[in-house]
Amino acid sequence: MKEQNDEITLKELFEIFIPKLWAIILVAVICAGALGCYSMFIKDDTYTSTASFIMVKTPTQYVNQSGSSAITTGLSASEIDAMQSMITMTEQIMETNQYMNSVREALVEKDARYETVSVSYLRKVLSIKIVGEATVFDISAITTDPQLSYDITDVVYHTFPDVIRDYYEEYSISIKVIDPPLKAINRNARGTVRNAFIGGFAGAVLTALIVFVVAKLDIVIRNKEKLEQSFNIPVIGVIPTFNMEKK
């Protein structure tokens, strides 16, 4: 017997996938339709409220080479990189139990119906995103209730700069508010087209993978080319198949 060759040729791939192309397309369409319908008709609407902040260097006084006092105000590229790393660490500070509990308590003081809001839920809906390549960053809350999104972000807007000051004061760094949060008027995009594309692509890939695995596990020899390839012997004759009708 000829040694098994594990290389897959383009011809073999065509022979595997072309006969099952209808199944791949069908599953892709079904998955795309299912995920698209979920996004359009079942998925809850979400609303985002965002507050913008900037991390700045606190002006410090020093004595220059001429012996006179001066104040540092600008930021070098390395300082900007360091601050962006601090913003990433700031998200970890925001997610601490101590701060999340303080946010929850402030929410309950605003409205007693927020008593059911948990710390784990606050961690889930709050996020920090660096804007551009500077030290500006946004803190956003995304929930299914526009008022709740606003109230969460509003609490963070009023309390977070003071919390950060306690951590970064020794580094001469502070956080300033740029834009306060606004209550969302319009819902967030549902991403129906994007989700349908993802569903269709995932369905097609999964089906193609199943077809490929089943084909490679199939050891039945179905044509003389496969027989010659597997045993390295020529085919000298083929017994035809007759359809004999009984009279």
Side-chain angles (χ1 to χ4, degrees):
M1 180 184 292
K2 184 181 177 180
E3 293 184 1
Q4 190 70 23
N5 187 3
D6 292 333
E7 292 184 0
I8 304 297
T9 65
L10 188 60
K11 179 183 178 182
E12 288 177 323
L13 290 177
F14 272 101
E15 290 175 350
I16 291 173
F17 291 119
I18 292 301
K20 302 298 182 181
L21 187 60
W22 65 271
I24 296 173
I25 294 175
L26 179 62
V27 173
V29 170
I30 292 174
C31 290
L35 206 54
C37 289
Y38 168 79
S39 300
M40 183 174 293
F41 302 111
I42 302 176
K43 184 179 179 182
D44 292 332
D45 292 333
T46 58
Y47 301 85
T48 302
S49 183
T50 301
S52 297
F53 304 83
I54 184 170
M55 184 175 285
V56 296
K57 181 178 179 181
T58 305
T60 56
Q61 192 170 7
Y62 70 101
V63 178
N64 59 23
Q65 294 179 350
S66 64
S68 59
S69 63
I71 297 177
T72 60
T73 56
L75 289 175
S76 64
S78 60
E79 287 175 326
I80 291 176
D81 290 338
M83 284 188 177
Q84 288 184 339
S85 297
M86 286 183 174
I87 292 173
T88 302
M89 187 169 65
T90 296
E91 185 169 14
Q92 298 173 351
I93 296 173
M94 184 179 69
E95 292 179 350
T96 59
N97 286 331
Q98 182 179 1
Y99 183 68
M100 287 288 102
N101 275 312
S102 68
V103 172
R104 183 182 179 281
E105 290 171 1
L107 282 172
V108 174
E109 288 181 6
K110 271 177 168 282
D111 194 327
R113 69 190 178 97
Y114 295 145
E115 185 69 38
T116 57
V117 175
S118 65
V119 168
S120 60
Y121 178 77
L122 291 174
R123 287 198 186 98
K124 179 181 177 181
V125 301
L126 277 169
S127 62
I128 290 181
K129 179 182 178 182
I130 298 175
V131 180
E133 298 180 357
T135 59
V136 177
F137 63 97
D138 293 338
I139 297 181
S140 301
I142 304 176
T143 75
T144 56
D145 181 354
Q147 185 63 48
L148 177 58
S149 295
Y150 169 77
D151 287 338
I152 293 174
T153 312
D154 187 59
V155 169
V156 174
Y157 165 76
H158 284 98
T159 61
F160 200 54
D162 293 334
V163 172
I164 292 302
R165 187 179 299 113
D166 295 336
Y167 283 94
Y168 294 150
E169 189 173 8
E170 61 181 296
Y171 301 106
S172 299
I173 290 174
S174 62
I175 289 181
K176 305 292 184 183
V177 175
I178 298 178
D179 280 328
L182 297 174
K183 183 178 178 180
I185 299 175
N186 299 318
R187 70 185 183 189
N188 296 331
R190 294 192 174 197
T192 303
V193 175
R194 180 198 61 194
N195 292 338
F197 176 80
I198 293 173
F201 180 78
V205 171
L206 181 61
T207 307
L209 182 61
I210 293 174
V211 168
F212 179 78
V213 171
V214 170
K216 295 305 292 181
L217 293 177
D218 185 7
I219 61 173
V220 176
I221 297 175
R222 304 181 185 281
N223 53 59
K224 67 177 184 179
E225 290 80 9
K226 185 66 174 178
L227 181 64
E228 290 174 340
Q229 180 184 0
S230 299
F231 293 92
N232 197 24
I233 57 175
V235 176
I236 59 176
V238 177
I239 300 176
T241 300
F242 294 97
N243 292 323
M244 304 275 304
E245 293 184 1
K246 295 182 178 180
K247 295 185 179 180

